[in-house]
Amino acid sequence: MSTVKVVTPSGKGGKDVELPAEFFGAKVNIPLMHQVVVAQEAAARQGTHATKTRGEVRGGGKKPYRQKGTGRARQGSLRAPQYAGGGTVHGPVPRSYVQRTPKKMKAAALRGALSDRSRHGRVSVVSRFVEGEEPSTSAALTVLRAAVGETGARLSLSVLVVVNEGDELTRKSLRNAVSVRVLTTGQLNTYDVLASDHVVFTHAALAEFTGQEPPADDAPAKDDAAKAKPAAKDTETKDAETKAAPATAAPAKGTPAKDEDAGDAPAKDAPAKDAPAKGASARAKAAAKDAPAEDKPAKAEDGKTAGAKAASAKDAPAKGASAQAKPAVKDKSAAGPEEEQQ
């Protein structure tokens, strides 16, 4: 396992970081890398090439001259392949050049390419390229030249810069730089590693690629801002809680106020005092029901009314008899004419 120094934007040498042997100390398999690179270049081809045969070329429907008697070779069309402007024989047709490459072969080829660059001392790590939140190409190139070991104003070597996902600050700072290619950890591939003379990782990108935890001070500025937002939300929630705490504790401080309000308690208890009066009236009613002497006249009066009801009930049959007599009269009136006829 090899170690490299982390380059900081200030130019001072940072702490050492280890390059895992799993990714930067693997066996270099040249035939495997060749196969993967060829497959990658083949997949980049569009495959839209096409030519026209003699049946697709416009014209040529008429026989140029008669079959016999001219002394020339017989011809059926001016768009035959031997004529200028004629069709093409066995020309290219649109097709796909994609080659199926197993994922394990791609991963092994990438590890071999990174290990080759690491053995030759062409892998560097940078804490960050730009300080602050504004992109700066000049500042990023200064840090990049320090990481690669270039002293001139321009880079003489092609450099591959690997950043973590979401690091737009570094990408915008180096996207127009000459001889510099910026990729994320998910886009890192064998062809770009072998096509570049030097590979530069940001500390966050190296940790993301190898599965390690990056230090808090080496996180990108964007990530710092993203972390600051939850912290601000936490402070806001804490402030809200502190503001709400006095409101809830106000009754505890206002115990005298409770004593003052205690004076209103008798007023609230007034209905409770009236409750016995209601109970007394209920008891008086019950006593009145239990008194037999006083209730006798009322019962007698009730008895009279009951007798009147009985009398009306006796009269009810008379009403029923009159109702029965009416149909009898009708029957007699109906039978009267018959008797008169007899």
Side-chain angles (χ1 to χ4, degrees):
M1 181 180 293
S2 59
T3 58
V4 294
K5 284 191 175 182
V6 179
V7 180
T8 59
S10 60
K12 298 179 181 179
K15 54 187 177 182
D16 294 341
V17 64
E18 295 181 352
L19 300 178
E22 179 184 357
F23 300 96
F24 299 94
K27 179 181 178 181
V28 179
N29 190 342
I30 296 177
L32 175 62
M33 290 190 295
H34 176 267
Q35 180 179 349
V36 171
V37 169
V38 168
Q40 187 174 347
E41 290 181 337
R45 298 183 64 175
Q46 292 183 351
T48 56
H49 42 55
T51 57
K52 292 183 178 181
T53 62
R54 61 180 294 173
E56 297 170 343
V57 179
R58 183 176 180 273
K62 180 183 177 182
K63 189 176 177 67
Y65 46 84
R66 65 176 187 250
Q67 182 78 0
K68 293 178 176 293
T70 60
R72 300 179 62 183
R74 55 192 177 185
Q75 302 294 333
S77 173
L78 292 176
R79 297 296 180 260
Q82 68 271 21
Y83 283 102
T88 303
V89 182
H90 306 303
V93 294
R95 69 185 185 92
S96 174
Y97 288 89
V98 175
Q99 301 178 13
R100 182 186 175 277
T101 307
K103 294 181 180 179
K104 292 184 178 181
M105 292 178 64
K106 294 179 182 178
L110 179 58
R111 290 194 297 267
L114 291 174
S115 301
D116 179 73
R117 292 294 181 264
S118 177
R119 287 192 182 96
H120 291 85
R122 294 187 176 183
V123 175
S124 303
V125 180
V126 176
S127 62
R128 64 178 65 184
F129 286 92
V130 181
E131 292 181 341
E133 298 182 357
E134 293 296 329
S136 176
T137 302
S138 60
L141 286 177
T142 301
V143 177
L144 187 61
R145 284 194 294 267
V148 175
E150 291 278 341
T151 57
R154 293 185 178 181
L155 293 172
S156 60
L157 301 174
S158 58
V159 181
L160 174 64
V161 178
V162 184
V163 299
N164 63 324
E165 295 288 343
D167 191 1
E168 293 294 326
L169 185 64
T170 303
R171 189 185 67 82
K172 290 180 179 180
S173 299
L174 293 174
R175 62 184 174 182
N176 290 333
V178 181
S179 302
V180 177
R181 182 170 177 79
V182 183
L183 296 177
T184 61
T185 54
Q187 298 173 338
L188 190 60
N189 57 85
T190 306
Y191 174 79
D192 287 317
V193 172
L194 295 178
S196 304
D197 297 321
H198 210 100
V199 181
V200 179
F201 285 86
T202 60
H203 201 172
L206 180 64
E208 185 178 7
F209 179 72
T210 58
Q212 300 174 351
E213 288 293 334
D217 55 347
D218 289 340
K222 185 174 181 180
D223 296 341
D224 292 340
K227 291 179 180 179
K229 290 181 180 179
K233 291 182 180 179
D234 295 339
T235 54
E236 290 178 0
T237 53
K238 288 181 180 179
D239 294 339
E241 291 176 358
T242 53
K243 289 180 181 178
T248 56
K253 293 181 180 178
T255 50
K258 287 185 177 179
D259 296 337
E260 293 176 359
D261 296 335
D264 299 334
K268 295 180 180 178
D269 296 334
K273 293 180 179 179
D274 296 336
K278 294 181 180 179
S281 62
R283 292 174 184 174
K285 291 180 180 179
K289 290 180 181 180
D290 295 336
E294 295 178 359
D295 293 337
K296 283 181 180 180
K299 287 183 178 178
E301 293 176 0
D302 294 338
K304 291 179 181 180
T305 56
K309 291 181 180 179
S312 61
K314 291 178 180 180
D315 295 338
K319 291 181 180 180
S322 63
Q324 292 176 358
K326 288 181 180 179
V329 172
K330 290 182 180 180
D331 295 338
K332 288 180 181 181
S333 62
E338 294 178 356
E339 293 176 355
E340 290 177 357
Q341 289 178 0
Q342 292 177 0

